Amino acid sequence: MLNQKGGVGGGGATDGSNGKMKPQYNELSYLVTRQCLQQEEFNQLSQYDREKGAPIDTLKNAFRGCNPFSSLLNFIPILQWLPKYHCKTDLLGDITAGITVAVMQIPQGMAYGLLAGVPANVGLYMAFFQCLVYAVFGTSRHISMGTFAVVSLMTAKVVTTYATLPPIGSATWNASFAEPSVIEPSDDPQYTPIQVATAVAFVCGIYHFLMSALRLGTLSSLLSEPLVSGFTTAAAVHVLISQLKDLLGVSIPRYKGAFKNIFSVRDIVEQVPNSNLTAVYTSTIVILFMIFMNEYLKPRASNWCRLPIPAELLVVVGGTVASYFIGLGPNFNVTLVGSIPVGLPAPEMPPLALLQLVAVDAIAIAIVSYSIVMSMGLIFAQKEGYEVRANQELIAMGATNIVGSFFSCIPTACSLSRSLIQHQAGGKTQITAVVSSLLILVVLLWIGPYFESLPRCVLASIIFVALKGMLWQVQHIKKFQREGSLELLVWLITFLSVVIIDIDIGLLIGVVFSLVALYIKGWKSYYSLLGTVPDTGIYVDLGSHHRAEEVPHIKIFKYSGAINFASRATFKKALTKEVGVDQRLIRRASQYEAAGEGAGLQLIKTLIIDLSSVPHIDTSACKMFSEVKKDMGTVGVSTLIACPADCVYDTLLHAESIGEGGFHIFPTIHDAVLYAQGSASTV
């Protein structure tokens, strides 16, 4: 029986060789005594079950545990939490947060509705219909659904591409700001901006349902932090450029396709001398007021007032009143919001012919909107200690977008600023969304027409100031630079591609490069030779632990990373480099069976391959292990395998069953070392 001493007692002592104090160890010492085990013996001892998790068993368990009532509760989460709602503790906070969010929804909904190329009241429809639907199906209690700048901008691109009638705010929009200019009759079908936008929302909802059915809730994890930061920062630049024409009071054409930002900036620079000075003065006043409120007054008021000051609503009301009495539209030619119909829209199915046209464009919008919702939901769930279910969020977004598409709504997402305010104002559940929706309903039924004289430059100024947080993400460059060159490159390539080329193409380029960077990082493997710290039986990297010593006549090679058909050559090259057994030496040893040039290798009797940091191998890797074993045997070195994970061990056994194995496998490195030493002593 082979024994192992697993600890050393005693205090510090002076090392006679250099006069330095040796490190002090724990006063307690332990003696570990057991028989040397091979992996199969250890598996019998631990009763390892290789059949665990078989697909047929998983399917049986799934059907056995299926409960229709439980499934209904999971599908409609409001049925779970509403009966347990605590009115005494939660209702006041939800009402307060609902009022606060509704106040923010009015100006933001109108502004981002126009940003999407549709009438301003569409943003208010979203704040009513889509918020209510998400409250029924969603699992996050704190996010505020509705308009979001990036999604509105991506929708505007599709509207510009497929709408036959000009988008809201384009150069061809009639001066009445209510009806589009006359379009010449054509045999081709003509689509309004609303029809295109609702078709995009409908297709996004279909995609979300399909993603949920395929259990692709983790798909958003493909969007890495550098990718999301670079994309949203670049999207903020797009939004900023799109609002410059309203800030200056000029008209420029809307461009389609790649490099449209460059063309838009060129036209805006050319139109600067023709700026409407009244619009410029109004924009400047609003921007300065918003900066003063956000940077100076709001932070100080938060110390004594729980509710945030509704600066955006004050600007909208003040701008509307001033425009009405001064006559900014008729007297100074300032572009106004225009007609806001009273009431709710009649349900209408998006044109079926449009669904196929927008199908490709909707893919990016569906993924981006879901990623924003999921990331914000997880942030609040971690803070408040509840669960957000990824696939249920897909169902919620699918239902929200499909229902919204019947009521003139564009694709939805959650607003970062509104969600933060909803949480800070004391919101506890999605009752907040119900309260907010009821207040928006009042605006739609009675108050909406009073905002018809609101200047568009006021809404553009609100968007301009709201972009600060997204534009400020450019500071993330320093953080990603510290994390590594690949993270920095992902950010820069995504940002530049989105800004210079276009949103969807730039996002695709960013995703591809992010995946390439992920592959490169996974391709980089770590390998080393291990030695043991004297009297411990612990094996560590010889290059990092200077007191570690190599075990006589034994090379212990550790590799970190998956070993498969793509990385097997890298593994073999690293092994040859560290162990010092190259193909030339193997060929010479095979030619001279009586040792010859291979005699020098008798200093190495055993090679131990540590697989403790290898998460996966394939059959080609097992074949490569067999080649290594054969090559090492040629020069008189036996090959052992140590510490495989269960899945790796199963693959090794499978390889052995088809004639690619025949390895000695051990549960620990020390077992392999003891076996090698015992085998050498019996020779």
Side-chain angles (χ1 to χ4, degrees), residues 92-104:
L92 180 60
D94 284 339
I95 292 177
T96 303
I99 296 173
T100 306
V101 170
V103 168
M104 293 184 66

Side-chain angles (χ1 to χ4, degrees), residues 67-80 136-137 389 392:
N67 185 326
F69 181 72
S70 177
S71 300
L72 178 63
L73 294 180
N74 289 329
F75 183 73
I76 309 178
I78 194 173
L79 299 179
Q80 288 181 316
V136 174
F137 293 98
R389 292 184 277 127
Q392 181 60 34

Side-chain angles (χ1 to χ4, degrees), residues 269-497:
V269 172
E270 292 176 352
Q271 290 292 327
V272 166
N274 302 324
S275 299
N276 186 318
L277 293 181
T278 303
V280 173
Y281 296 149
T282 304
S283 301
T284 304
I285 293 172
V286 172
I287 290 173
L288 292 176
F289 176 77
M290 290 296 299
I291 292 175
F292 171 76
M293 296 293 288
N294 292 340
E295 303 297 328
Y296 180 79
L297 192 58
K298 280 187 178 181
R300 285 162 175 76
S302 62
N303 297 326
W304 51 268
C305 180
R306 182 179 177 182
L307 298 177
I309 298 176
E312 293 87 352
L313 186 62
L314 292 177
V315 165
V316 167
V317 173
T320 303
V321 172
S323 174
Y324 178 79
F325 286 104
I326 298 175
L328 294 181
N331 298 333
F332 298 94
N333 202 28
V334 175
T335 308
L336 305 180
V337 168
S339 175
I340 299 179
V342 177
L344 299 176
E348 181 181 356
M349 173 76 182
L352 294 178
L354 264 175
L355 302 184
Q356 184 177 358
L357 293 178
V358 304
V360 175
D361 300 272
I363 295 175
I365 299 176
I367 295 176
V368 169
S369 60
Y370 170 66
S371 300
I372 297 296
V373 168
M374 196 63 201
S375 58
M376 287 298 295
L378 288 174
I379 290 173
F380 292 116
Q382 292 172 358
K383 284 184 179 180
E384 299 296 331
Y386 62 89
E387 179 187 7
V388 171
R389 292 184 277 127
N391 279 288
Q392 181 60 34
E393 286 300 295
L394 285 170
I395 293 175
M397 292 195 67
T400 299
N401 279 318
I402 289 178
V403 172
S405 68
F406 286 91
F407 295 96
S408 302
C409 296
I410 68 174
T412 188
C414 69
S415 166
L416 310 183
S417 58
R418 289 198 309 270
S419 299
L420 289 172
I421 292 298
Q422 177 172 324
H423 181 260
Q424 294 172 2
K428 301 294 184 182
T429 68
Q430 280 296 339
I431 292 296
T432 299
V434 176
V435 174
S436 173
S437 299
L438 293 177
L439 293 177
I440 295 297
L441 179 62
V442 173
V443 175
L444 288 170
L445 294 180
W446 293 289
I447 304 177
Y450 292 103
F451 292 111
E452 292 180 357
S453 58
L454 173 66
R456 285 172 56 93
C457 61
V458 172
L459 294 178
S461 301
I462 293 174
I463 295 176
F464 181 86
V465 176
L467 291 175
K468 175 196 169 186
M470 295 174 65
L471 291 172
W472 226 242
Q473 291 179 138
V474 73
Q475 295 179 324
H476 291 176
I477 291 180
K478 297 180 180 178
K479 180 181 75 171
F480 296 130
Q481 185 178 17
R482 290 192 298 268
E483 291 182 3
S485 57
L486 287 176
E487 283 76 7
L488 178 62
L489 279 175
V490 170
W491 195 98
L492 290 174
I493 288 175
T494 305
F495 176 81
L496 294 176
S497 300

Side-chain angles (χ1 to χ4, degrees), residues 9-56:
T14 303
D15 189 341
S17 61
N18 53 22
K20 293 184 179 179
M21 183 70 77
K22 290 183 178 179
Q24 293 186 354
Y25 298 99
N26 195 320
E27 292 294 338
L28 297 175
S29 64
Y30 303 92
L31 186 64
V32 179
T33 304
R34 66 170 172 81
Q35 183 181 2
C36 173
L37 296 173
Q38 293 200 38
Q39 185 71 43
E40 187 59 35
E41 295 171 333
F42 176 75
N43 287 343
Q44 293 176 3
L45 182 65
S46 65
Q47 296 184 355
Y48 171 53
D49 182 11
R50 288 189 62 201
E51 303 301 324
K52 181 186 67 174
I56 187 64

Side-chain angles (χ1 to χ4, degrees), residues 199-209 362-363 365-366 369 397-398 401 411:
V200 175
F202 186 88
V203 176
C204 284
I206 296 296
Y207 285 151
H208 287 142
F209 275 128
I363 295 175
I365 299 176
S369 60
M397 292 195 67
N401 279 318

